[in-house]
Amino acid sequence: KNDEKILSKGNSKATYEDIIINADEFEYDKILNVLIAKGNVRAEDTIKNLNINSNTIIYKKNDEKILSKGNSKATYEDIIINADEFEYNHNLNILNAKGKVKIEDVVKNYIINGNSITYEKNLEKIFSKGLTKAKIDSKYDLESSELIFLKNKLEISSKEEAKILTNDNTLYQFEKFVFYINKKLLKASNVYINENASLSSDKTDHL
């Protein structure tokens, strides 16, 4: 009573309006209005159709933020996101993922890997910080940094250097690009093409 904390163990469930959290155990701080859930944790946003599974989840009710740590997995309709940890802003509908991040869309057939990736659900926008790799349509292996991916338009872009290796072993190197996936159209600066990726760079064509 003195520290205003409530503890529970075994098949615990908490419901906060449209947020439902299940876990093996809870620790709830009444003063801070913070719930710490541990063990087989599942948090569900029933309105925004988001599920988060993790070893540990912290729900900061006053800030409307959910933090996860360890083996974190989020399912957002057709998007599956795996990472070491998440920060989910419930009000803004934004998910930040950090540490061995993998985003997969099984419907539109792409995978994005990086160490820091943010998904703005309302804008259907994904952007990364640092080195990022993407597998698109099982045909294109893209490597760049500071990527911006517009999910609905299927456009991926960056102002940084990048390269794409196609499944026919053609390597494209360029910078400041926009790749229109549906049109299979690349617009970029300083484009180099190597039709055999095993060739040395001095045998590369410059466009």
Side-chain angles (χ1 to χ4, degrees):
K1 175 64 177 177
N2 291 336
D3 56 9
E4 294 292 343
K5 289 186 178 180
I6 298 174
L7 308 177
S8 73
K9 291 187 177 181
N11 297 321
S12 302
K13 181 177 181 178
T15 302
Y16 293 88
E17 298 171 350
D18 50 342
I19 299 291
I20 301 172
I21 301 175
N22 291 273
D24 292 338
E25 59 182 77
F26 287 153
E27 178 181 317
Y28 174 59
D29 189 313
K30 294 173 67 177
I31 296 175
L32 298 178
N33 203 9
V34 172
L35 178 71
I36 300 174
K38 295 181 179 180
N40 300 311
V41 189
R42 176 185 174 88
E44 180 181 2
D45 187 331
T46 58
I47 299 297
K48 295 173 181 174
N49 201 22
L50 169 68
N51 294 309
I52 297 177
N53 296 80
S54 185
N55 294 339
T56 300
I57 281 180
I58 301 171
Y59 179 36
K60 298 183 177 181
K61 172 60 179 173
N62 294 343
D63 298 329
E64 287 295 349
K65 288 184 177 180
I66 293 176
L67 311 178
S68 76
K69 296 181 179 180
N71 297 318
S72 300
K73 179 180 179 179
T75 304
Y76 233 145
E77 298 172 349
D78 52 343
I79 297 286
I80 300 171
I81 305 173
N82 289 277
D84 291 337
E85 59 185 66
F86 293 144
E87 178 179 316
Y88 170 60
N89 189 310
H90 172 61
N91 289 334
L92 299 179
N93 205 6
I94 294 175
L95 181 73
N96 295 306
K98 293 184 178 180
K100 299 177 182 177
V101 186
K102 178 182 178 181
I103 298 181
E104 182 174 8
D105 187 325
V106 294
V107 175
K108 296 183 178 179
N109 194 20
Y110 62 80
I111 298 172
I112 302 173
N113 293 278
N115 283 318
S116 180
I117 298 178
T118 299
Y119 180 28
E120 296 186 3
K121 173 62 178 173
N122 293 344
L123 299 177
E124 290 296 359
K125 177 181 177 181
I126 296 170
F127 60 90
S128 71
K129 294 182 180 179
L131 179 64
T132 310
K133 298 180 180 181
K135 182 78 171 181
I136 303 168
D137 282 341
S138 301
K139 298 177 181 179
Y140 309 102
D141 288 300
L142 169 66
E143 184 176 314
S144 187
S145 59
E146 320 306 315
L147 285 179
I148 298 173
F149 179 57
L150 304 181
K151 182 174 177 288
N152 288 340
K153 294 182 178 180
L154 284 178
E155 295 177 8
I156 190 164
S157 64
S158 175
K159 295 180 180 179
E160 306 301 321
E161 294 181 350
K163 58 184 178 181
I164 291 178
L165 181 65
T166 66
N167 59 358
D168 65 358
N169 215 34
T170 300
L171 177 66
Y172 299 83
Q173 294 175 285
F174 44 86
E175 58 188 35
K176 296 180 181 179
F177 74 95
V178 180
F179 182 34
Y180 303 91
I181 297 172
N182 282 338
K183 298 178 181 179
K184 297 180 174 60
L185 175 64
L186 174 67
K187 292 185 177 182
S189 301
N190 299 323
V191 181
Y192 290 83
I193 300 175
N194 187 331
E195 293 185 351
N196 186 337
S198 64
L199 293 178
S200 62
S201 58
D202 60 357
K203 295 183 181 180
T204 302
D205 295 328
H206 180 202
L207 296 185

PDB file of all heavy atoms in Angstrom, residues 35-56:
ATOM      1  N   LEU A  35       2.122   0.092 -16.138  1.00  0.00           N
ATOM      2  CA  LEU A  35       1.998  -1.353 -15.989  1.00  0.00           C
ATOM      3  C   LEU A  35       3.207  -2.031 -16.619  1.00  0.00           C
ATOM      4  O   LEU A  35       3.522  -1.786 -17.788  1.00  0.00           O
ATOM      5  CB  LEU A  35       0.725  -1.857 -16.666  1.00  0.00           C
ATOM      6  CG  LEU A  35       0.509  -3.380 -16.624  1.00  0.00           C
ATOM      7  CD1 LEU A  35       0.153  -3.835 -15.217  1.00  0.00           C
ATOM      8  CD2 LEU A  35      -0.570  -3.797 -17.615  1.00  0.00           C
ATOM      9  N   ILE A  36       3.882  -2.890 -15.843  1.00  0.00           N
ATOM     10  CA  ILE A  36       4.989  -3.697 -16.361  1.00  0.00           C
ATOM     11  C   ILE A  36       4.503  -5.131 -16.456  1.00  0.00           C
ATOM     12  O   ILE A  36       4.076  -5.720 -15.453  1.00  0.00           O
ATOM     13  CB  ILE A  36       6.221  -3.611 -15.451  1.00  0.00           C
ATOM     14  CG1 ILE A  36       6.706  -2.163 -15.343  1.00  0.00           C
ATOM     15  CG2 ILE A  36       7.339  -4.498 -15.987  1.00  0.00           C
ATOM     16  CD1 ILE A  36       7.842  -1.973 -14.352  1.00  0.00           C
ATOM     17  N   ALA A  37       4.542  -5.687 -17.652  1.00  0.00           N
ATOM     18  CA  ALA A  37       4.090  -7.055 -17.898  1.00  0.00           C
ATOM     19  C   ALA A  37       5.279  -7.911 -18.318  1.00  0.00           C
ATOM     20  O   ALA A  37       6.083  -7.505 -19.155  1.00  0.00           O
ATOM     21  CB  ALA A  37       3.019  -7.072 -18.977  1.00  0.00           C
ATOM     22  N   LYS A  38       5.394  -9.112 -17.739  1.00  0.00           N
ATOM     23  CA  LYS A  38       6.533  -9.984 -18.027  1.00  0.00           C
ATOM     24  C   LYS A  38       6.061 -11.408 -18.308  1.00  0.00           C
ATOM     25  O   LYS A  38       5.107 -11.887 -17.705  1.00  0.00           O
ATOM     26  CB  LYS A  38       7.513  -9.989 -16.851  1.00  0.00           C
ATOM     27  CG  LYS A  38       8.177  -8.655 -16.579  1.00  0.00           C
ATOM     28  CD  LYS A  38       9.161  -8.751 -15.420  1.00  0.00           C
ATOM     29  CE  LYS A  38       9.858  -7.425 -15.158  1.00  0.00           C
ATOM     30  NZ  LYS A  38      10.831  -7.514 -14.034  1.00  0.00           N
ATOM     31  N   GLY A  39       6.773 -12.058 -19.233  1.00  0.00           N
ATOM     32  CA  GLY A  39       6.517 -13.451 -19.538  1.00  0.00           C
ATOM     33  C   GLY A  39       5.366 -13.669 -20.497  1.00  0.00           C
ATOM     34  O   GLY A  39       4.215 -13.440 -20.155  1.00  0.00           O
ATOM     35  N   ASN A  40       5.693 -14.104 -21.721  1.00  0.00           N
ATOM     36  CA  ASN A  40       4.656 -14.391 -22.729  1.00  0.00           C
ATOM     37  C   ASN A  40       3.658 -13.246 -22.873  1.00  0.00           C
ATOM     38  O   ASN A  40       2.440 -13.447 -22.871  1.00  0.00           O
ATOM     39  CB  ASN A  40       3.904 -15.681 -22.383  1.00  0.00           C
ATOM     40  CG  ASN A  40       4.811 -16.886 -22.319  1.00  0.00           C
ATOM     41  OD1 ASN A  40       5.597 -17.121 -23.228  1.00  0.00           O
ATOM     42  ND2 ASN A  40       4.726 -17.644 -21.238  1.00  0.00           N
ATOM     43  N   VAL A  41       4.192 -12.049 -23.029  1.00  0.00           N
ATOM     44  CA  VAL A  41       3.329 -10.864 -23.039  1.00  0.00           C
ATOM     45  C   VAL A  41       2.717 -10.652 -24.423  1.00  0.00           C
ATOM     46  O   VAL A  41       3.390 -10.760 -25.446  1.00  0.00           O
ATOM     47  CB  VAL A  41       4.112  -9.600 -22.632  1.00  0.00           C
ATOM     48  CG1 VAL A  41       3.149  -8.434 -22.447  1.00  0.00           C
ATOM     49  CG2 VAL A  41       4.910  -9.834 -21.363  1.00  0.00           C
ATOM     50  N   ARG A  42       1.441 -10.320 -24.407  1.00  0.00           N
ATOM     51  CA  ARG A  42       0.738  -9.961 -25.639  1.00  0.00           C
ATOM     52  C   ARG A  42      -0.083  -8.710 -25.365  1.00  0.00           C
ATOM     53  O   ARG A  42      -0.924  -8.689 -24.458  1.00  0.00           O
ATOM     54  CB  ARG A  42      -0.172 -11.093 -26.112  1.00  0.00           C
ATOM     55  CG  ARG A  42      -1.012 -10.753 -27.349  1.00  0.00           C
ATOM     56  CD  ARG A  42      -1.973 -11.894 -27.681  1.00  0.00           C
ATOM     57  NE  ARG A  42      -2.886 -11.554 -28.750  1.00  0.00           N
ATOM     58  CZ  ARG A  42      -2.639 -11.723 -30.049  1.00  0.00           C
ATOM     59  NH1 ARG A  42      -1.482 -12.242 -30.424  1.00  0.00           N
ATOM     60  NH2 ARG A  42      -3.531 -11.410 -30.963  1.00  0.00           N
ATOM     61  N   ALA A  43       0.195  -7.664 -26.153  1.00  0.00           N
ATOM     62  CA  ALA A  43      -0.577  -6.429 -26.052  1.00  0.00           C
ATOM     63  C   ALA A  43      -1.355  -6.242 -27.346  1.00  0.00           C
ATOM     64  O   ALA A  43      -0.804  -6.387 -28.438  1.00  0.00           O
ATOM     65  CB  ALA A  43       0.343  -5.239 -25.816  1.00  0.00           C
ATOM     66  N   GLU A  44      -2.616  -5.917 -27.216  1.00  0.00           N
ATOM     67  CA  GLU A  44      -3.494  -5.776 -28.384  1.00  0.00           C
ATOM     68  C   GLU A  44      -4.166  -4.420 -28.377  1.00  0.00           C
ATOM     69  O   GLU A  44      -4.757  -4.018 -27.373  1.00  0.00           O
ATOM     70  CB  GLU A  44      -4.543  -6.883 -28.385  1.00  0.00           C
ATOM     71  CG  GLU A  44      -5.499  -6.829 -29.567  1.00  0.00           C
ATOM     72  CD  GLU A  44      -6.551  -7.923 -29.529  1.00  0.00           C
ATOM     73  OE1 GLU A  44      -6.561  -8.708 -28.560  1.00  0.00           O
ATOM     74  OE2 GLU A  44      -7.365  -7.984 -30.462  1.00  0.00           O
ATOM     75  N   ASP A  45      -4.038  -3.716 -29.505  1.00  0.00           N
ATOM     76  CA  ASP A  45      -4.791  -2.484 -29.726  1.00  0.00           C
ATOM     77  C   ASP A  45      -5.975  -2.863 -30.606  1.00  0.00           C
ATOM     78  O   ASP A  45      -5.830  -3.060 -31.813  1.00  0.00           O
ATOM     79  CB  ASP A  45      -3.905  -1.438 -30.408  1.00  0.00           C
ATOM     80  CG  ASP A  45      -4.582  -0.071 -30.526  1.00  0.00           C
ATOM     81  OD1 ASP A  45      -5.821  -0.038 -30.612  1.00  0.00           O
ATOM     82  OD2 ASP A  45      -3.875   0.948 -30.544  1.00  0.00           O
ATOM     83  N   THR A  46      -7.140  -2.984 -29.997  1.00  0.00           N
ATOM     84  CA  THR A  46      -8.289  -3.520 -30.715  1.00  0.00           C
ATOM     85  C   THR A  46      -8.846  -2.556 -31.760  1.00  0.00           C
ATOM     86  O   THR A  46      -9.480  -2.987 -32.725  1.00  0.00           O
ATOM     87  CB  THR A  46      -9.410  -3.882 -29.722  1.00  0.00           C
ATOM     88  OG1 THR A  46      -9.771  -2.709 -28.983  1.00  0.00           O
ATOM     89  CG2 THR A  46      -8.941  -4.960 -28.757  1.00  0.00           C
ATOM     90  N   ILE A  47      -8.611  -1.262 -31.595  1.00  0.00           N
ATOM     91  CA  ILE A  47      -9.103  -0.272 -32.550  1.00  0.00           C
ATOM     92  C   ILE A  47      -8.187  -0.184 -33.773  1.00  0.00           C
ATOM     93  O   ILE A  47      -8.648  -0.150 -34.925  1.00  0.00           O
ATOM     94  CB  ILE A  47      -9.239   1.115 -31.894  1.00  0.00           C
ATOM     95  CG1 ILE A  47     -10.237   1.054 -30.732  1.00  0.00           C
ATOM     96  CG2 ILE A  47      -9.677   2.155 -32.923  1.00  0.00           C
ATOM     97  CD1 ILE A  47     -11.637   0.695 -31.124  1.00  0.00           C
ATOM     98  N   LYS A  48      -6.886  -0.171 -33.523  1.00  0.00           N
ATOM     99  CA  LYS A  48      -5.925   0.029 -34.614  1.00  0.00           C
ATOM    100  C   LYS A  48      -5.354  -1.275 -35.158  1.00  0.00           C
ATOM    101  O   LYS A  48      -4.435  -1.274 -35.972  1.00  0.00           O
ATOM    102  CB  LYS A  48      -4.815   0.973 -34.139  1.00  0.00           C
ATOM    103  CG  LYS A  48      -5.377   2.362 -33.843  1.00  0.00           C
ATOM    104  CD  LYS A  48      -4.381   3.294 -33.219  1.00  0.00           C
ATOM    105  CE  LYS A  48      -5.042   4.647 -32.946  1.00  0.00           C
ATOM    106  NZ  LYS A  48      -4.164   5.578 -32.209  1.00  0.00           N
ATOM    107  N   ASN A  49      -5.901  -2.391 -34.670  1.00  0.00           N
ATOM    108  CA  ASN A  49      -5.587  -3.702 -35.225  1.00  0.00           C
ATOM    109  C   ASN A  49      -4.095  -4.026 -35.150  1.00  0.00           C
ATOM    110  O   ASN A  49      -3.492  -4.475 -36.121  1.00  0.00           O
ATOM    111  CB  ASN A  49      -6.072  -3.796 -36.679  1.00  0.00           C
ATOM    112  CG  ASN A  49      -6.236  -5.233 -37.146  1.00  0.00           C
ATOM    113  OD1 ASN A  49      -6.395  -6.143 -36.331  1.00  0.00           O
ATOM    114  ND2 ASN A  49      -6.170  -5.443 -38.455  1.00  0.00           N
ATOM    115  N   LEU A  50      -3.514  -3.770 -33.986  1.00  0.00           N
ATOM    116  CA  LEU A  50      -2.102  -4.054 -33.749  1.00  0.00           C
ATOM    117  C   LEU A  50      -1.962  -5.045 -32.605  1.00  0.00           C
ATOM    118  O   LEU A  50      -2.599  -4.903 -31.559  1.00  0.00           O
ATOM    119  CB  LEU A  50      -1.358  -2.764 -33.399  1.00  0.00           C
ATOM    120  CG  LEU A  50       0.072  -2.935 -32.857  1.00  0.00           C
ATOM    121  CD1 LEU A  50       0.992  -3.460 -33.947  1.00  0.00           C
ATOM    122  CD2 LEU A  50       0.599  -1.626 -32.296  1.00  0.00           C
ATOM    123  N   ASN A  51      -1.093  -6.055 -32.811  1.00  0.00           N
ATOM    124  CA  ASN A  51      -0.745  -6.993 -31.755  1.00  0.00           C
ATOM    125  C   ASN A  51       0.762  -6.959 -31.541  1.00  0.00           C
ATOM    126  O   ASN A  51       1.531  -6.994 -32.514  1.00  0.00           O
ATOM    127  CB  ASN A  51      -1.174  -8.413 -32.112  1.00  0.00           C
ATOM    128  CG  ASN A  51      -2.678  -8.558 -32.192  1.00  0.00           C
ATOM    129  OD1 ASN A  51      -3.393  -8.168 -31.289  1.00  0.00           O
ATOM    130  ND2 ASN A  51      -3.163  -9.111 -33.300  1.00  0.00           N
ATOM    131  N   ILE A  52       1.187  -6.900 -30.279  1.00  0.00           N
ATOM    132  CA  ILE A  52       2.611  -6.926 -29.942  1.00  0.00           C
ATOM    133  C   ILE A  52       2.857  -8.060 -28.966  1.00  0.00           C
ATOM    134  O   ILE A  52       2.182  -8.173 -27.944  1.00  0.00           O
ATOM    135  CB  ILE A  52       3.079  -5.597 -29.316  1.00  0.00           C
ATOM    136  CG1 ILE A  52       2.926  -4.441 -30.308  1.00  0.00           C
ATOM    137  CG2 ILE A  52       4.528  -5.706 -28.850  1.00  0.00           C
ATOM    138  CD1 ILE A  52       3.293  -3.078 -29.727  1.00  0.00           C
ATOM    139  N   ASN A  53       3.829  -8.920 -29.300  1.00  0.00           N
ATOM    140  CA  ASN A  53       4.275  -9.984 -28.413  1.00  0.00           C
ATOM    141  C   ASN A  53       5.721  -9.722 -28.014  1.00  0.00           C
ATOM    142  O   ASN A  53       6.537  -9.336 -28.862  1.00  0.00           O
ATOM    143  CB  ASN A  53       4.162 -11.348 -29.091  1.00  0.00           C
ATOM    144  CG  ASN A  53       2.726 -11.723 -29.401  1.00  0.00           C
ATOM    145  OD1 ASN A  53       2.155 -11.271 -30.386  1.00  0.00           O
ATOM    146  ND2 ASN A  53       2.139 -12.552 -28.568  1.00  0.00           N
ATOM    147  N   SER A  54       6.052  -9.964 -26.746  1.00  0.00           N
ATOM    148  CA  SER A  54       7.413  -9.698 -26.289  1.00  0.00           C
ATOM    149  C   SER A  54       7.657 -10.368 -24.947  1.00  0.00           C
ATOM    150  O   SER A  54       6.719 -10.843 -24.295  1.00  0.00           O
ATOM    151  CB  SER A  54       7.645  -8.194 -26.168  1.00  0.00           C
ATOM    152  OG  SER A  54       8.993  -7.904 -25.844  1.00  0.00           O
ATOM    153  N   ASN A  55       8.934 -10.389 -24.535  1.00  0.00           N
ATOM    154  CA  ASN A  55       9.263 -10.912 -23.208  1.00  0.00           C
ATOM    155  C   ASN A  55       8.773  -9.969 -22.115  1.00  0.00           C
ATOM    156  O   ASN A  55       8.277 -10.407 -21.077  1.00  0.00           O
ATOM    157  CB  ASN A  55      10.774 -11.091 -23.066  1.00  0.00           C
ATOM    158  CG  ASN A  55      11.326 -12.166 -23.987  1.00  0.00           C
ATOM    159  OD1 ASN A  55      10.590 -13.033 -24.440  1.00  0.00           O
ATOM    160  ND2 ASN A  55      12.604 -12.105 -24.278  1.00  0.00           N
ATOM    161  N   THR A  56       8.939  -8.658 -22.366  1.00  0.00           N
ATOM    162  CA  THR A  56       8.541  -7.644 -21.391  1.00  0.00           C
ATOM    163  C   THR A  56       7.880  -6.474 -22.108  1.00  0.00           C
ATOM    164  O   THR A  56       8.383  -6.018 -23.138  1.00  0.00           O
ATOM    165  CB  THR A  56       9.754  -7.115 -20.601  1.00  0.00           C
ATOM    166  OG1 THR A  56      10.378  -8.206 -19.911  1.00  0.00           O
ATOM    167  CG2 THR A  56       9.337  -6.061 -19.590  1.00  0.00           C
TER     168      THR A  56
END
